[in-house]
Amino acid sequence: MQLTHVQGAGPTAPSLPILAPDDAIDGGPAREALPPALLAMMMMANRIIATEAVRVIPDGKLTPPQFRILNYLLIAPGASLSEVANYLGVRLPTASVMLVKLAAEGYVLRSRHPMSRRRMQLVLTEQGQEMTEAVRTALFARLHTGLDRLDPADRTLVQDAIPVLRRLFSEV
């Protein structure tokens, strides 16, 4: 796939590897290898979410963005459509389409905000809350299993990296 009309990309953008070169990963990431390595980790995380969502809810075919909505509404009940779209990093129509589907499946309840006729507030239904918690439990179990296989020094490195990664992703 080629990108066009991207500022600074020219008529075609160069292809970018999804994974960093093996030598950069094995010998410690070189500065140039960090963006592809971070992208690869984010894509892996989406794959793990999708795998666990399908395993826990085989009929539902819950996508990672849908799970992100449900997870957000679990921690921010009553959020607006704008807040959900902002959280996902998508436009309002895109978030609206996903929420309509989640509401039709019985996971989200949409209602008018009591203080504003123009604002919609979104909450998980009981079914949505149970499903979200089931997927979270499965994800956390899978992550705990992986973390338990790490030696203590590597577990400490991962734990120490969390605040740095949180800061990085809040600034990009």
Side-chain angles (χ1 to χ4, degrees):
M1 179 174 84
Q2 298 208 1
L3 299 176
T4 58
H5 308 293
V6 177
Q7 186 175 3
T12 59
S15 63
L16 296 173
I18 292 175
L19 294 174
D22 290 337
D23 55 341
I25 292 173
D26 294 341
R31 184 165 296 280
E32 299 80 33
L34 281 175
L38 288 169
L39 176 61
M41 283 191 284
M42 292 186 311
M43 293 173 74
M44 251 188 279
N46 272 338
R47 183 187 51 77
I48 292 168
I49 291 169
T51 300
E52 290 304 316
V54 168
R55 193 178 64 73
V56 172
I57 303 114
D59 299 344
K61 302 236 178 171
L62 186 68
T63 66
Q66 289 171 330
F67 174 74
R68 287 183 62 211
I69 289 173
L70 297 177
N71 193 54
Y72 181 70
L73 292 177
L74 183 70
I75 60 172
S80 69
L81 175 62
S82 295
E83 291 166 336
V84 169
N86 187 47
Y87 175 75
L88 289 177
V90 298
R91 294 178 22 180
L92 287 174
T94 303
S96 181
V97 167
M98 286 191 277
L99 282 160
V100 165
K101 183 173 172 34
L102 290 169
E105 292 176 4
Y107 299 138
V108 174
L109 179 63
R110 300 175 302 156
S111 61
R112 293 280 172 218
H113 192 277
M115 305 297 229
S116 171
R117 290 178 43 207
R118 294 180 57 197
R119 182 180 165 156
M120 186 73 75
Q121 67 180 16
L122 306 159
V123 294
L124 294 177
T125 62
E126 186 175 325
Q127 178 186 359
Q129 186 167 347
E130 289 170 2
M131 198 241 330
T132 304
E133 288 174 352
V135 174
R136 284 172 58 104
T137 298
L139 281 167
F140 294 159
R142 185 170 179 167
L143 291 170
H144 277 297
T145 299
L147 288 168
D148 289 345
R149 285 193 294 254
L150 295 176
D151 64 55
D154 284 345
R155 244 189 330 272
T156 299
L157 281 172
V158 170
Q159 189 163 1
D160 290 347
I162 297 295
V164 176
L165 290 169
R166 194 173 277 138
R167 213 170 38 251
L168 169 69
F169 287 120
S170 72
E171 295 172 2
V172 293

